[in-house]
Amino acid sequence: MASFTTSRRHLVAGGAIAASALAARAAHAGEWFWRHRNRHWDDHGDRDGDGEKNCFREGTLVRTIAGERPIEAIAEGDKLPTRFGEIARVIRRHELGRADRAILITRAALGSDCPTRDLYLTACHSLLIDGYLIAAGNLINDRTILRLPPDDAEYFHIELARHDLVWAEGLLCESLLAEGQRPCAPLVPYRWARGEVASHLRSALAPVIDLRRPQDIVRDRLAA
């Protein structure tokens, strides 16, 4: 059960996220006005981030049957060990380009040598923890799992014939959940700022009534 000191921390965190989200919406509204006025549209804009894929940053080491290789060196036809399907063949590897919402999971944030190195991935990219696929954005604790500012790094995702888990920097991370595929485990998606605020409120209330969901419990445990 969370302490009242922890509850205050969650209330402050939730308030900060809500304020940041409101400021971002206001900025977006102003940007939309000027674009509309000038009839200039950005076809790649995605305010809520729903278009982002579950991707790894360049340099991430992914386990293959021939050893670990950087994600950008993975090619179609490469064979990867997986959690549920044993050996799977990569059918597509796509480059997302720049990611607006990226997460850093620091070395050993989830346990001894887990991950083995710092792991960078997009906020909606899920890890297998306690039997759930939990998106990295749900685990931000501002200590060992951090939100990153946009940068110019390239991000890549890999697609298998069916959704599964591969090892990246020693962690079980999902492959691309392509259209028509079913999640290989119960999925807890990332709900952006609104979801983060609700999550911190549930944790803040935990000393009185524990309504926390799996992602809240995992995040609080990792933060502690």
Side-chain angles (χ1 to χ4, degrees), residues 46-84:
D46 183 34
R47 175 170 56 86
D48 293 324
D50 294 332
E52 285 191 8
K53 302 294 185 182
N54 42 341
C55 302
F56 300 105
R57 195 173 82 164
E58 59 185 328
T60 299
L61 296 180
V62 176
R63 188 181 301 175
T64 75
I65 61 170
E68 291 186 321
R69 295 173 63 186
I71 181 65
E72 64 271 24
I74 300 292
E76 295 179 11
D78 284 349
K79 295 180 180 179
L80 313 181
T82 62
R83 172 66 177 79
F84 297 112

Side-chain angles (χ1 to χ4, degrees), residues 12-22 142 147 192-194 196-197 200:
V12 170
I17 293 167
S20 176
L22 288 173
D142 296 324
R147 191 191 323 271
W192 314 106
R194 182 178 299 178
E196 286 189 58
V197 172
H200 282 291

